[in-house]
Amino acid sequence: MNKYFFYIVTLISILCFVSCQRDDDEPIKAARPISRLYVSTSNYQANTTSPALYNVFVVTPADSNSFAIDPLSNHTSSALGGSAIHFSPYAQSIFQSSVNSPAYRDTSIYVMNVSDKGVISNGNVIGNRRFNNVKGLWYYVHNTPGNTTNITNNYLLVTNLGADTVNLFIVDQPKSRRGFTPPRYELRLNYRPWSIQMNGDDLLLSRTEDNGGIVVYKNLPAALKVDTLLDIEPTYQLTVSGANNIRGLSYSSSKDILALTDYKVNSGAPEPNVGDGRILIFENFSQYTSSGTIVPTRVITGANTLLQQPLDVALDTREGEDDALFIYVADAGPVSRNVLRFKLSDTGNVEPDEVLEILNRQTPQSISLDSRGANRL
């Protein structure tokens, strides 16, 4: 009798432990160090008699000397051509938008599950006709201080350059949404954003157009109340004088470094030349707390860099030697069309540390880096 009582008590204890775990409160602890770079490509095979094209590629380890795609990790999502991509260890998922080309209408955001070993599988699909030109994605978890429940607020933040309105959409509990999904919140913008990142509870958006820069909203959760339509103004805006087409944004709070990508198109030219792309690096970024013009600490640009039309950037600033830390860039330029890796210490007209050509010369549109723990090989 005592033996059966022990089994019952043990079972109840296990169930209580599982039920009290926080939903999305922290990422799964990696058994081994992780350095994975996820790449979204825009090419799409409409001919159903031909094999479908991969549109998610994985470079692992991304910080090793063999900077190459893992052929066992290539994946085909249901997107009709991939655009923005974002991996979250909190959600254990990849989120990917579609390029939504005129030929292949696709206004969905695709959720892919990622196992602790990096195996990708298709999950739910979030659809809305208003998600018609998604440029940035970010999964955000907000746990109210003092919260003792097993429920946290988690959101998918989406920047969208619509034909009529430009919006920041916020979808709540995105992993449980399927089919048509209205955003829980939306913020209408009077500027053109691109990339998006949360730094703690602060929202950072890259702003494109001439003399673009960064737009900062401090303490975003304070604005998420009852009304769906948000009425908030930027806390401050930082302008980069001379910027032309700012796209990618990546900020490392541990190193206090922000990186932006930019490129110019010469007058009368149909596309930028190789060397017209730039990586703008701002050290001690937290010093900027009010609106104004900021100047890059360093700029990586020039023909040797192969930068033509850089659309996205990711900083890897884990612990290690300064010259062993990396900047990853997705370049969609028709000549370059590569993923480039630079050292964090680089400046000027330098050659990339590594160059990755995607299978079948597919065009990279966006990247997302999962880096947890040192993994130098």
Side-chain angles (χ1 to χ4, degrees), residues 173 242 343 363:
Q173 309 297 328
K343 293 179 180 178
T363 304

Side-chain angles (χ1 to χ4, degrees), residues 84-360:
I85 193 169
H86 172 64
F87 169 79
S88 169
Y90 295 90
Q92 303 156 40
S93 300
I94 294 170
F95 301 88
Q96 184 188 38
S97 66
S98 169
V99 291
N100 189 34
S101 67
Y104 313 114
R105 290 297 184 189
D106 183 4
T107 58
S108 295
I109 296 172
Y110 298 86
V111 184
M112 288 157 271
N113 303 312
V114 182
S115 73
D116 57 352
K117 295 183 179 180
V119 178
I120 303 171
S121 59
N122 287 334
N124 56 309
V125 180
I126 302 170
N128 193 312
R129 285 184 296 176
R130 301 181 70 194
F131 302 157
N132 55 13
N133 195 7
V134 173
K135 298 303 183 185
L137 296 167
W138 191 271
Y139 183 85
Y140 168 58
V141 178
H142 175 63
N143 185 25
T144 305
N147 178 20
T148 58
T149 71
N150 65 337
I151 300 174
T152 57
N153 295 319
N154 52 87
Y155 305 99
L156 182 65
L157 280 61
V158 180
T159 54
N160 191 82
L161 300 178
D164 300 320
T165 59
V166 178
N167 298 80
L168 169 69
F169 294 122
I170 302 178
V171 177
D172 65 329
Q173 309 297 328
K175 288 203 67 179
S176 64
R177 304 296 182 189
R178 285 172 174 80
F180 172 72
T181 303
R184 174 63 184 86
Y185 303 101
E186 65 176 276
L187 175 63
R188 294 176 181 172
L189 306 175
N190 59 5
Y191 57 89
R192 295 178 66 80
W194 199 275
S195 293
I196 184 171
Q197 180 173 336
M198 290 296 295
N199 176 39
D201 288 335
D202 299 338
L203 169 63
L204 308 178
L205 293 174
S206 65
R207 177 171 57 85
T208 188
E209 305 168 314
D210 290 344
N211 299 315
I214 307 102
V215 183
V216 180
Y217 297 83
K218 301 288 286 186
N219 192 17
L220 179 65
L224 306 182
K225 298 179 181 177
V226 177
D227 293 339
T228 296
L229 196 59
L230 300 179
D231 183 20
I232 56 175
E233 295 294 329
T235 308
Y236 53 91
Q237 301 190 52
L238 303 171
T239 299
V240 181
S241 181
N244 297 277
N245 293 284
I246 285 180
R247 296 292 190 257
L249 173 153
S250 182
Y251 175 64
S252 166
S253 58
S254 63
K255 294 292 183 181
D256 198 12
I257 293 176
L258 179 134
L260 299 172
T261 63
D262 184 35
Y263 63 92
K264 64 181 179 179
V265 178
N266 296 320
S267 178
E271 58 197 32
N273 297 317
V274 174
D276 285 341
R278 304 192 297 167
I279 305 172
L280 312 177
I281 301 169
F282 303 84
E283 298 176 358
N284 302 314
F285 179 73
S286 63
Q287 67 181 303
Y288 304 112
T289 57
S290 60
S291 296
T293 300
I294 58 176
V295 178
T297 311
R298 288 177 284 120
V299 179
I300 300 174
T301 190
N304 290 339
T305 68
L306 305 182
L307 291 167
Q308 184 179 13
Q309 192 174 348
L311 296 186
D312 207 358
V313 61
L315 292 175
D316 180 4
T317 57
R318 292 170 295 168
E319 295 298 325
E321 298 297 327
D322 287 345
D323 63 355
L325 305 178
F326 297 110
I327 305 172
Y328 302 91
V329 178
D331 195 303
V335 176
S336 179
R337 208 181 305 173
N338 292 317
V339 176
L340 308 171
R341 188 176 81 182
F342 295 90
K343 293 179 180 178
L344 185 63
S345 58
D346 280 345
T347 187
N349 188 16
V350 297
E351 294 182 356
D353 175 73
E354 293 288 347
V355 178
L356 175 70
E357 182 179 301
I358 307 299
L359 182 69
N360 298 324

